[in-house]
Amino acid sequence: MSKDVTSLYRQLPAIDYLLNEASVLPLIEGYGRTQVTKILRNMQQHAREQIKQQQCLPVWQSDWIAALTYQLQRQQNSGLRPVFNLTGTVLHTNLGRALMAEEAIEAVARVMRYPVTLEYTLNEAVRGHRDRILADLLCELTGAEDACIVNNNAAAVLLMLATIAPGRQVIVSRGELVEIGGAFRVPEVMKQAGCQLVEVGTTNRTYLQDYQRAINEETALLMKVHTSNYRILGFTAEVEGQQLAQLGAEYNIATAIDLGSGALIDMTQYGLPAEPMPQHYLAQGVDLVSISGDKLLGGPQAGIIFGKKCWIDAIQQHPLKRALRADKMTLAALEATLRIYQQGEKVTTSLPTFNFLTRQQAEIRQLAQRLIEPIKHHYGGKFAVKDEACFSQIGSGSLPNERLASWAITFTPKNNNNNLLVSLSRQWRQLATPVIGRISAGRLWLDLRCLNDEAKLLQVLLKQ
């Protein structure tokens, strides 16, 4: 080993020496001695490797304390970071779907802080069922005989299938064998539930007689899946829920509909696209209907099954129910959300999802015009910054084809270099509060439909 390299090694401070430095003591108090020691050892090892390979000290060698502080802070950053969702997708699956109402946030904090009557009845002082209070509320809102709550809608579908048709046949239209997010496919769910899938009809046209011809002694369920994440147009035909319910009643076979997106109210009253509601199918005689909690319902991630009491009782007794049940925080947030539906006039003001969905283009345009000048002043050197009309979408997996008139601030490179857009987008993703937009048609778009804190957005963007 050369004399110069040896001298470099000698410049590395001892761990014990650093741990006793006055400036390190607050870090030990804040992050714990174990964690501080671990990071210091990693830093020291990195420095030794750089000396060995490059015969020099790392750049941070001159200020170990600053480097240590940076490493500790970076390691403590949450993996679930708040972002500005300016993608134009209100129910963005990758960004957490529905935002919670303040009432739901308060309810979750309360059940986290105190013991609660999750499975305890105050009148009899005995064990109760965690779904009961919410089931009664769901029945009041929809007219269902009973209801059941699990951790998401995929779990709801799995549980319905595993309860009704284990080892038996389930008839579904070919046009409804959808894939939802993450390559999660209806046929694969059926396989996991131990069911035998029977496909009927064609991709674009399925008739009632297709179901009828497929019925045999092994048929346990007639199922319909609402294709909320895509649409077939043109020469099409599908079996309505009422037709399916009547056929099931005629042959004494259960019927189920996976609605997925899960609207509990008539969306057309707010000028939004029509979306089927569980109460509509229940009134038609369908035995079971499942929906998601974190899409058009505007609540937490949950799967809700409505239906005939005999089937809900069977589902509650299935061994999978315990594995798929919702926790107290989900139940608290869902109950608070459903309470808002009891007061119909509060839906658009209290539920962020409906507040965003019903936001008028004129209001969003005014927001853009308030923001445009300071943003243009800051970014106008490299980009043509404009406010432009655009279209938002309701969800990435729910009603992705339905578009809502909106307004955006756009960034177009003055030198037509699209790499600048990619670089700017990446730069914004590294901000303290990341800003997530979308790149389309040679521009970076910030759709303002879901912006609820314009002052903070300006503060974040103008620091760059």
Side-chain angles (χ1 to χ4, degrees), residues 313-389:
D313 286 345
I315 287 170
Q316 294 285 20
Q317 296 300 317
H318 196 283
L320 272 178
K321 174 58 167 64
R322 184 174 180 84
L324 302 175
R325 68 184 182 180
D327 73 335
K328 64 181 180 180
M329 290 169 283
T330 298
L331 295 173
L334 183 57
E335 180 183 5
T337 302
L338 294 172
R339 297 290 179 197
I340 293 171
Y341 279 91
Q342 284 184 307
Q343 310 167 54
E345 67 278 4
K346 290 184 63 177
V347 167
T348 57
T349 55
S350 295
L351 291 178
T353 294
F354 277 92
N355 184 268
F356 292 147
L357 291 177
T358 57
R359 214 170 186 178
Q360 297 301 303
Q361 187 183 43
E363 177 193 345
I364 305 171
R365 183 179 186 181
Q366 290 174 358
L367 172 58
Q369 291 172 341
R370 291 196 298 271
L371 295 171
I372 186 70
E373 288 307 319
I375 291 177
K376 183 184 294 185
H377 178 76
H378 192 81
Y379 290 94
K382 294 182 179 179
F383 300 92
V385 182
K386 299 180 181 179
D387 63 293
E388 300 185 54

Side-chain angles (χ1 to χ4, degrees), residues 48 51 70 120 128 195 264 270 326 334 366 397 407:
R48 289 179 178 278
I51 293 171
Y70 171 77
Y120 185 85
C195 306
L264 271 194
Y270 302 112
L334 183 57
Q366 290 174 358
W407 213 268

